[in-house]
Structures are given as structure tokens and as C-alpha cells.
């Protein structure tokens, strides 16, 4: 299980109370129709907080707002993705606008990505 230090756990608890509209909408869909996958929201992950985390698929889902394209955010996101990649987690980044525009398609992409990760994992072939 992916965990984080106490400081990240505290920050994650706070973020659960401050989720954005796209995060709330996607969370509602993941809880309602997860196709057998269990997702956690605002989950502590080392020094980071993952918007959504599926342990079984080793999948991190990030809903990125406009701020992710500005200033030093692209470099920070790249470093964050590299941290997850080094630990064999995939990161699926969804633009917040895409979630708002077509929630059903965003949800379907998350579930499809989780299924593909499970199908490719060495444990599933044993």
C-alpha cells in the first residue's frame, strides 16, 4: 500500500474537504461505478497527495486544473510523475476541463487504464 508521512496524511485529510468540482464529479462516478476497482481519494503517497489512487492497478489519477500549465508547475508535475514511475506506479493526468466536458468519457478512460494495468501486470499472469 502506498502511504506517506504524517505531514502528508494531514494535508491529504484537508484536501478531501476542499476537492474541486471536477474531482468531486469524478469521485462520485468512481464510487458509483468502479467496475470492481477500489479507488481512494486524496491519498497520501510519499511526499505527495494523489487525487485518486487504485492500489490493485498501481494507478494514480490526477485531475489537473489550469494552474498545472503555468510557472514551475510543469516541472513539479514531471518530478512527481518520475517519483511515481520509479516506484512502478502509472500516472494518468486528466485535464479538469475534460472531466467537466465529458464525465462519462473521463470515467471510462480511468477504468480502461486500470484494466490495462491489471492485464499487463506480472501478478495477473501467474
Amino acid at each position: 500500500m502506498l502511504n506517506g508521512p504524517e505531514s502528508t496524511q494531514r494535508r491529504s485529510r484537508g484536501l478531501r474537504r476542499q476537492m474541486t468540482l471536477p474531482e468531486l464529479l469524478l469521485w462520485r462516478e468512481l464510487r458509483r461505478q468502479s467496475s470492481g476497482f477500489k479507488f481512494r481519494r486524496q491519498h497520501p503517497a510519499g511526499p505527495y497527495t494523489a487525487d485518486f489512487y487504485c492500489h490493485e492497478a498501481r494507478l494514480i489519477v490526477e485531475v489537473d486544473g489550469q494552474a498545472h500549465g503555468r510557472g514551475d508547475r510543469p516541472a513539479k508535475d514531471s518530478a512527481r510523475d518520475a517519483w511515481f514511475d520509479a516506484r512502478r506506479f502509472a500516472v494518468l493526468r486528466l485535464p479538469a476541463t475534460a472531466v467537466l466536458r465529458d464525465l462519462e468519457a473521463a470515467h471510462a478512460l480511468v477504468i480502461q487504464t486500470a484494466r490495462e494495468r491489471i492485464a499487463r501486470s506480472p501478478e495477473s499472469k501467474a
Side-chain angles (χ1 to χ4, degrees), residues 21 29 44 59 69 104 119:
L21 178 59
E29 288 302 302
L59 177 64
E104 187 176 310

Side-chain angles (χ1 to χ4, degrees), residues 49-81:
T49 298
D51 288 346
F52 303 101
Y53 165 63
C54 178
H55 177 72
E56 181 183 13
R58 298 188 64 84
L59 177 64
I60 305 294
V61 179
E62 292 293 318
V63 178
D64 292 344
Q66 292 178 340
H68 285 267
R70 297 187 193 136
D72 64 348
R73 286 304 309 190
K76 285 183 176 182
D77 287 346
S78 181
R80 177 187 175 107
D81 292 354

Side-chain angles (χ1 to χ4, degrees), residues 3-126:
N3 290 309
E6 181 61 31
S7 60
T8 305
Q9 291 176 26
R10 277 193 307 274
R11 185 173 61 243
S12 296
R13 279 191 291 274
L15 289 172
R16 284 183 206 118
R17 292 186 292 272
Q18 301 172 357
M19 292 174 66
T20 65
L21 178 59
E23 290 170 340
L24 285 169
L25 292 172
L26 185 57
W27 174 239
R28 185 186 67 197
E29 288 302 302
L30 290 171
R31 287 194 51 143
R32 193 168 35 180
Q33 305 177 51
S34 66
S35 300
F37 294 106
K38 181 179 179 182
F39 286 88
R40 295 171 177 265
R41 66 185 168 123
Q42 302 300 333
H43 183 75
Y48 304 108
T49 298
D51 288 346
F52 303 101
Y53 165 63
C54 178
H55 177 72
E56 181 183 13
R58 298 188 64 84
L59 177 64
I60 305 294
V61 179
E62 292 293 318
V63 178
D64 292 344
Q66 292 178 340
H68 285 267
R70 297 187 193 136
D72 64 348
R73 286 304 309 190
K76 285 183 176 182
D77 287 346
S78 181
R80 177 187 175 107
D81 292 354
W83 188 91
F84 285 120
D85 187 56
R87 288 153 183 82
R88 296 182 22 239
F89 288 92
V91 177
L92 173 61
R93 291 192 171 277
L94 299 172
T97 55
V99 174
L100 291 172
R101 186 174 41 249
D102 193 344
L103 178 59
E104 187 176 310
H107 175 259
L109 179 60
V110 171
I111 298 304
Q112 175 188 350
T113 303
R115 284 187 181 134
E116 289 171 359
R117 295 270 307 155
I118 294 292
R120 287 192 306 245
S121 75
E123 294 86 25
S124 69
K125 298 184 178 24

